[in-house]
Amino acid sequence: LETFDAIFGGSAYGKDVTEYSNQVQSAIMEKVSAIPAEDRKKVMILFAYSDATMSTSGKGFFGQSWCDLTGAINVGEGIESLGSAAINMEQVYEWNPDVIIITNFTTAQPEDLYNNTIGSDDWSSVNAVKNKQVYKMPLGIYRSYTPGADTPVTLQWFAKAVYPELFQDMDVEQIAKDYYKDFYGFELTDEQLENMFNPPSEASA
């Protein structure tokens, strides 16, 4: 952000967004820092999923940062891949994640895991599925899994998805509304908010 701001002449916008982002990050990290190690949620990023492939985030991909910033354990952190890493159901069973986050780089939806509608995979014994803690990442200016203009909102969404009790007072939709209005001068409609936080499978295209 600072680099682009310098290229295009500099503005208060870049400084304001950076300050807000830093405040959000600090507040979340401070709140999750009190979570005992044994209570930290095991999170699996489902980057891509179809009847032909399944991949996740290892230590060198963006999923690691989302987990680190929200006090979660990335189940794939032992994988050194810089991009997405191929996995299978046997590995998922071994990890048995508490929470599964599905990116918008795949058409898969939480219902596909709840109902076992992709290939012959059976997700029914996985904790995240049993406890209905499978979430599709929101869609903003771009797919929110990657760092971008929506990152401060995405970080708050991610924190609440992983630790809903800890962040129960956080209204992520109102946060998104205020963020777009304050920093972009754009008023999100209810329909746009619905599409943002419940993105369709077509978003993967």
CSV table of all heavy atoms in Angstrom, one decimal, residues 10-49:
chain,number,residue,atom,x,y,z
A,10,GLY,N,1.2,10.0,-3.3
A,10,GLY,CA,1.0,10.2,-1.9
A,10,GLY,C,-0.4,10.8,-1.5
A,10,GLY,O,-0.9,11.6,-2.3
A,11,SER,N,-1.0,10.3,-0.4
A,11,SER,CA,-2.3,10.9,0.0
A,11,SER,C,-2.5,10.5,1.4
A,11,SER,O,-1.9,9.6,2.0
A,11,SER,CB,-3.4,10.3,-0.9
A,11,SER,OG,-3.6,8.9,-0.6
A,12,ALA,N,-3.5,11.2,2.0
A,12,ALA,CA,-3.9,10.8,3.4
A,12,ALA,C,-4.5,9.5,3.4
A,12,ALA,O,-4.5,8.8,4.5
A,12,ALA,CB,-4.8,11.9,3.9
A,13,TYR,N,-5.1,9.0,2.3
A,13,TYR,CA,-5.8,7.7,2.2
A,13,TYR,C,-4.8,6.6,2.7
A,13,TYR,O,-5.2,5.8,3.5
A,13,TYR,CB,-6.3,7.5,0.8
A,13,TYR,CG,-6.7,6.1,0.6
A,13,TYR,CD1,-7.9,5.6,1.0
A,13,TYR,CD2,-5.9,5.2,-0.1
A,13,TYR,CE1,-8.3,4.3,0.8
A,13,TYR,CE2,-6.2,3.9,-0.3
A,13,TYR,CZ,-7.5,3.4,0.1
A,13,TYR,OH,-7.8,2.1,-0.1
A,14,GLY,N,-3.6,6.6,2.1
A,14,GLY,CA,-2.7,5.5,2.4
A,14,GLY,C,-2.4,5.4,3.8
A,14,GLY,O,-2.3,4.4,4.4
A,15,LYS,N,-2.1,6.6,4.4
A,15,LYS,CA,-1.7,6.7,5.8
A,15,LYS,C,-2.9,6.2,6.7
A,15,LYS,O,-2.7,5.5,7.7
A,15,LYS,CB,-1.3,8.1,6.2
A,15,LYS,CG,-1.0,8.3,7.6
A,15,LYS,CD,-0.5,9.8,7.8
A,15,LYS,CE,-0.1,10.0,9.2
A,15,LYS,NZ,-1.3,10.1,10.1
A,16,ASP,N,-4.1,6.7,6.3
A,16,ASP,CA,-5.3,6.3,7.2
A,16,ASP,C,-5.6,4.8,7.1
A,16,ASP,O,-5.9,4.2,8.2
A,16,ASP,CB,-6.5,7.1,6.7
A,16,ASP,CG,-6.4,8.6,7.0
A,16,ASP,OD1,-5.5,9.0,7.8
A,16,ASP,OD2,-7.2,9.4,6.3
A,17,VAL,N,-5.5,4.2,5.9
A,17,VAL,CA,-5.8,2.8,5.8
A,17,VAL,C,-4.8,2.0,6.6
A,17,VAL,O,-5.1,1.0,7.3
A,17,VAL,CB,-5.9,2.4,4.3
A,17,VAL,CG1,-6.0,0.9,4.3
A,17,VAL,CG2,-7.1,3.0,3.7
A,18,THR,N,-3.5,2.4,6.5
A,18,THR,CA,-2.4,1.7,7.1
A,18,THR,C,-2.6,1.8,8.7
A,18,THR,O,-2.5,0.8,9.4
A,18,THR,CB,-1.1,2.3,6.8
A,18,THR,OG1,-0.9,2.1,5.4
A,18,THR,CG2,0.1,1.6,7.5
A,19,GLU,N,-3.0,2.9,9.2
A,19,GLU,CA,-3.2,3.1,10.6
A,19,GLU,C,-4.4,2.2,11.1
A,19,GLU,O,-4.3,1.6,12.1
A,19,GLU,CB,-3.5,4.6,10.9
A,19,GLU,CG,-2.2,5.5,10.9
A,19,GLU,CD,-2.5,6.9,11.2
A,19,GLU,OE1,-3.7,7.2,11.5
A,19,GLU,OE2,-1.5,7.7,11.3
A,20,TYR,N,-5.4,2.2,10.3
A,20,TYR,CA,-6.6,1.4,10.7
A,20,TYR,C,-6.2,0.0,10.7
A,20,TYR,O,-6.6,-0.8,11.6
A,20,TYR,CB,-7.7,1.7,9.7
A,20,TYR,CG,-9.0,0.8,9.9
A,20,TYR,CD1,-9.8,1.0,11.1
A,20,TYR,CD2,-9.3,-0.2,9.0
A,20,TYR,CE1,-10.9,0.2,11.3
A,20,TYR,CE2,-10.4,-1.0,9.3
A,20,TYR,CZ,-11.2,-0.8,10.4
A,20,TYR,OH,-12.3,-1.6,10.6
A,21,SER,N,-5.5,-0.5,9.6
A,21,SER,CA,-5.1,-1.9,9.5
A,21,SER,C,-4.3,-2.3,10.7
A,21,SER,O,-4.5,-3.4,11.3
A,21,SER,CB,-4.3,-2.1,8.2
A,21,SER,OG,-5.1,-1.9,7.1
A,22,ASN,N,-3.3,-1.4,11.1
A,22,ASN,CA,-2.5,-1.7,12.2
A,22,ASN,C,-3.3,-1.8,13.5
A,22,ASN,O,-3.0,-2.6,14.4
A,22,ASN,CB,-1.4,-0.7,12.3
A,22,ASN,CG,-0.3,-0.8,11.2
A,22,ASN,OD1,-0.2,-1.8,10.6
A,22,ASN,ND2,0.4,0.3,10.9
A,23,GLN,N,-4.2,-0.9,13.7
A,23,GLN,CA,-5.1,-0.9,14.9
A,23,GLN,C,-5.9,-2.2,15.0
A,23,GLN,O,-6.0,-2.8,16.1
A,23,GLN,CB,-6.0,0.3,14.9
A,23,GLN,CG,-5.3,1.6,15.1
A,23,GLN,CD,-6.2,2.8,14.8
A,23,GLN,OE1,-7.4,2.6,14.5
A,23,GLN,NE2,-5.7,4.0,14.9
A,24,VAL,N,-6.5,-2.6,13.9
A,24,VAL,CA,-7.3,-3.8,13.8
A,24,VAL,C,-6.4,-5.0,14.2
A,24,VAL,O,-6.7,-5.9,15.0
A,24,VAL,CB,-7.9,-4.1,12.4
A,24,VAL,CG1,-8.4,-5.5,12.3
A,24,VAL,CG2,-9.0,-3.0,12.2
A,25,GLN,N,-5.2,-5.1,13.6
A,25,GLN,CA,-4.3,-6.2,13.8
A,25,GLN,C,-3.9,-6.3,15.3
A,25,GLN,O,-3.9,-7.4,15.9
A,25,GLN,CB,-3.1,-6.1,12.9
A,25,GLN,CG,-2.1,-7.2,13.1
A,25,GLN,CD,-0.9,-7.2,12.1
A,25,GLN,OE1,-1.2,-6.9,10.9
A,25,GLN,NE2,0.3,-7.4,12.6
A,26,SER,N,-3.5,-5.1,15.8
A,26,SER,CA,-3.0,-5.1,17.2
A,26,SER,C,-4.2,-5.5,18.2
A,26,SER,O,-3.9,-6.3,19.1
A,26,SER,CB,-2.5,-3.7,17.6
A,26,SER,OG,-1.4,-3.4,16.8
A,27,ALA,N,-5.4,-5.0,17.9
A,27,ALA,CA,-6.5,-5.3,18.8
A,27,ALA,C,-6.8,-6.8,18.8
A,27,ALA,O,-7.1,-7.4,19.9
A,27,ALA,CB,-7.7,-4.5,18.4
A,28,ILE,N,-6.8,-7.4,17.6
A,28,ILE,CA,-7.1,-8.8,17.5
A,28,ILE,C,-6.0,-9.7,18.2
A,28,ILE,O,-6.3,-10.6,19.0
A,28,ILE,CB,-7.3,-9.2,16.1
A,28,ILE,CG1,-8.7,-8.7,15.6
A,28,ILE,CG2,-7.3,-10.8,15.9
A,28,ILE,CD1,-9.0,-8.9,14.1
A,29,MET,N,-4.8,-9.4,17.9
A,29,MET,CA,-3.7,-10.1,18.4
A,29,MET,C,-3.6,-10.0,20.0
A,29,MET,O,-3.3,-11.0,20.6
A,29,MET,CB,-2.4,-9.7,17.8
A,29,MET,CG,-2.3,-10.0,16.3
A,29,MET,SD,-0.6,-9.6,15.6
A,29,MET,CE,0.4,-11.0,16.3
A,30,GLU,N,-4.0,-8.9,20.5
A,30,GLU,CA,-4.0,-8.7,21.9
A,30,GLU,C,-5.1,-9.5,22.6
A,30,GLU,O,-4.9,-10.2,23.6
A,30,GLU,CB,-4.2,-7.2,22.3
A,30,GLU,CG,-4.2,-6.9,23.8
A,30,GLU,CD,-4.4,-5.5,24.1
A,30,GLU,OE1,-4.5,-4.6,23.2
A,30,GLU,OE2,-4.5,-5.2,25.3
A,31,LYS,N,-6.2,-9.6,21.9
A,31,LYS,CA,-7.3,-10.3,22.5
A,31,LYS,C,-7.1,-11.8,22.4
A,31,LYS,O,-7.4,-12.6,23.4
A,31,LYS,CB,-8.6,-10.0,21.7
A,31,LYS,CG,-9.9,-10.3,22.4
A,31,LYS,CD,-11.1,-9.5,21.9
A,31,LYS,CE,-12.3,-9.7,22.7
A,31,LYS,NZ,-13.4,-8.9,22.3
A,32,VAL,N,-6.5,-12.3,21.3
A,32,VAL,CA,-6.3,-13.8,21.2
A,32,VAL,C,-5.1,-14.2,22.0
A,32,VAL,O,-4.9,-15.4,22.2
A,32,VAL,CB,-6.2,-14.3,19.8
A,32,VAL,CG1,-7.5,-13.9,19.0
A,32,VAL,CG2,-5.0,-13.6,19.1
A,33,SER,N,-4.2,-13.3,22.4
A,33,SER,CA,-3.0,-13.7,23.1
A,33,SER,C,-3.3,-14.4,24.4
A,33,SER,O,-2.4,-15.1,25.0
A,33,SER,CB,-2.1,-12.4,23.3
A,33,SER,OG,-2.7,-11.5,24.2
A,34,ALA,N,-4.5,-14.1,25.0
A,34,ALA,CA,-4.8,-14.7,26.3
A,34,ALA,C,-5.3,-16.1,26.2
A,34,ALA,O,-5.6,-16.8,27.2
A,34,ALA,CB,-5.8,-13.8,27.0
A,35,ILE,N,-5.5,-16.6,25.0
A,35,ILE,CA,-6.1,-18.0,24.8
A,35,ILE,C,-5.0,-19.0,25.1
A,35,ILE,O,-3.9,-19.0,24.5
A,35,ILE,CB,-6.5,-18.2,23.3
A,35,ILE,CG1,-7.6,-17.2,22.9
A,35,ILE,CG2,-7.1,-19.6,23.1
A,35,ILE,CD1,-8.0,-17.2,21.5
A,36,PRO,N,-5.3,-19.9,26.1
A,36,PRO,CA,-4.3,-20.9,26.4
A,36,PRO,C,-3.9,-21.8,25.2
A,36,PRO,O,-4.8,-22.0,24.3
A,36,PRO,CB,-5.0,-21.8,27.5
A,36,PRO,CG,-6.0,-20.9,28.0
A,36,PRO,CD,-6.5,-20.0,26.9
A,37,ALA,N,-2.7,-22.3,25.1
A,37,ALA,CA,-2.3,-23.1,24.0
A,37,ALA,C,-3.2,-24.2,23.7
A,37,ALA,O,-3.5,-24.6,22.5
A,37,ALA,CB,-0.8,-23.6,24.2
A,38,GLU,N,-3.7,-24.9,24.8
A,38,GLU,CA,-4.5,-26.1,24.6
A,38,GLU,C,-5.9,-25.7,24.0
A,38,GLU,O,-6.6,-26.6,23.6
A,38,GLU,CB,-4.6,-26.9,25.9
A,38,GLU,CG,-5.3,-26.1,27.0
A,38,GLU,CD,-4.4,-25.3,27.9
A,38,GLU,OE1,-3.2,-25.0,27.4
A,38,GLU,OE2,-4.7,-25.0,29.0
A,39,ASP,N,-6.3,-24.4,24.1
A,39,ASP,CA,-7.6,-24.0,23.6
A,39,ASP,C,-7.6,-23.4,22.2
A,39,ASP,O,-8.6,-22.9,21.7
A,39,ASP,CB,-8.2,-23.1,24.6
A,39,ASP,CG,-8.6,-23.7,25.9
A,39,ASP,OD1,-8.8,-24.9,25.9
A,39,ASP,OD2,-8.6,-23.0,27.0
A,40,ARG,N,-6.4,-23.3,21.6
A,40,ARG,CA,-6.3,-22.6,20.3
A,40,ARG,C,-6.9,-23.6,19.3
A,40,ARG,O,-6.6,-24.8,19.2
A,40,ARG,CB,-4.9,-22.3,20.0
A,40,ARG,CG,-4.4,-21.2,20.9
A,40,ARG,CD,-2.9,-20.7,20.6
A,40,ARG,NE,-2.6,-19.7,21.6
A,40,ARG,CZ,-2.7,-18.4,21.3
A,40,ARG,NH1,-3.2,-18.0,20.2
A,40,ARG,NH2,-2.3,-17.5,22.3
A,41,LYS,N,-7.7,-23.0,18.4
A,41,LYS,CA,-8.4,-23.8,17.4
A,41,LYS,C,-7.5,-24.2,16.3
A,41,LYS,O,-6.6,-23.5,15.8
A,41,LYS,CB,-9.6,-23.0,16.8
A,41,LYS,CG,-10.7,-22.6,17.8
A,41,LYS,CD,-11.5,-23.7,18.1
A,41,LYS,CE,-12.7,-23.3,19.0
A,41,LYS,NZ,-13.7,-22.5,18.2
A,42,LYS,N,-7.7,-25.5,15.8
A,42,LYS,CA,-7.0,-26.0,14.7
A,42,LYS,C,-7.8,-25.7,13.4
A,42,LYS,O,-8.9,-26.1,13.3
A,42,LYS,CB,-6.8,-27.5,14.8
A,42,LYS,CG,-6.0,-28.0,16.0
A,42,LYS,CD,-5.7,-29.5,15.9
A,42,LYS,CE,-7.0,-30.3,16.0
A,42,LYS,NZ,-6.8,-31.7,15.9
A,43,VAL,N,-7.1,-24.9,12.5
A,43,VAL,CA,-7.8,-24.4,11.3
A,43,VAL,C,-7.2,-25.0,10.1
A,43,VAL,O,-6.0,-25.1,9.9
A,43,VAL,CB,-7.7,-22.9,11.3
A,43,VAL,CG1,-8.3,-22.4,9.9
A,43,VAL,CG2,-8.5,-22.3,12.4
A,44,MET,N,-8.1,-25.5,9.2
A,44,MET,CA,-7.6,-25.9,7.9
A,44,MET,C,-8.1,-25.0,6.8
A,44,MET,O,-9.3,-24.7,6.8
A,44,MET,CB,-8.1,-27.3,7.6
A,44,MET,CG,-7.4,-27.9,6.3
A,44,MET,SD,-8.0,-29.6,5.9
A,44,MET,CE,-9.5,-29.2,5.0
A,45,ILE,N,-7.3,-24.5,6.0
A,45,ILE,CA,-7.6,-23.7,4.8
A,45,ILE,C,-7.9,-24.6,3.6
A,45,ILE,O,-7.0,-25.3,3.2
A,45,ILE,CB,-6.5,-22.7,4.4
A,45,ILE,CG1,-6.2,-21.8,5.6
A,45,ILE,CG2,-7.0,-21.8,3.3
A,45,ILE,CD1,-7.2,-20.9,6.1
A,46,LEU,N,-9.1,-24.6,3.1
A,46,LEU,CA,-9.4,-25.4,2.0
A,46,LEU,C,-9.3,-24.5,0.8
A,46,LEU,O,-10.2,-23.8,0.4
A,46,LEU,CB,-10.8,-26.0,2.1
A,46,LEU,CG,-11.2,-27.1,1.1
A,46,LEU,CD1,-10.1,-28.3,1.1
A,46,LEU,CD2,-12.6,-27.7,1.3
A,47,PHE,N,-8.1,-24.5,0.2
A,47,PHE,CA,-7.8,-23.5,-0.9
A,47,PHE,C,-8.5,-23.9,-2.2
A,47,PHE,O,-9.1,-23.1,-2.9
A,47,PHE,CB,-6.3,-23.5,-1.2
A,47,PHE,CG,-5.9,-22.5,-2.3
A,47,PHE,CD1,-5.9,-21.1,-2.1
A,47,PHE,CD2,-5.6,-23.0,-3.5
A,47,PHE,CE1,-5.6,-20.3,-3.1
A,47,PHE,CE2,-5.3,-22.1,-4.6
A,47,PHE,CZ,-5.3,-20.7,-4.3
A,48,ALA,N,-8.4,-25.2,-2.6
A,48,ALA,CA,-9.1,-25.7,-3.8
A,48,ALA,C,-9.7,-27.1,-3.5
A,48,ALA,O,-9.1,-27.9,-2.7
A,48,ALA,CB,-8.1,-25.8,-4.9
A,49,TYR,N,-10.8,-27.4,-4.0
A,49,TYR,CA,-11.5,-28.6,-3.7
A,49,TYR,C,-12.4,-29.0,-4.8
A,49,TYR,O,-13.4,-28.2,-5.2
A,49,TYR,CB,-12.2,-28.6,-2.4
A,49,TYR,CG,-12.8,-29.9,-2.0
A,49,TYR,CD1,-12.1,-31.1,-2.2
A,49,TYR,CD2,-14.1,-30.0,-1.5
A,49,TYR,CE1,-12.7,-32.4,-1.8
A,49,TYR,CE2,-14.7,-31.2,-1.1
A,49,TYR,CZ,-14.0,-32.4,-1.3
A,49,TYR,OH,-14.6,-33.6,-0.9
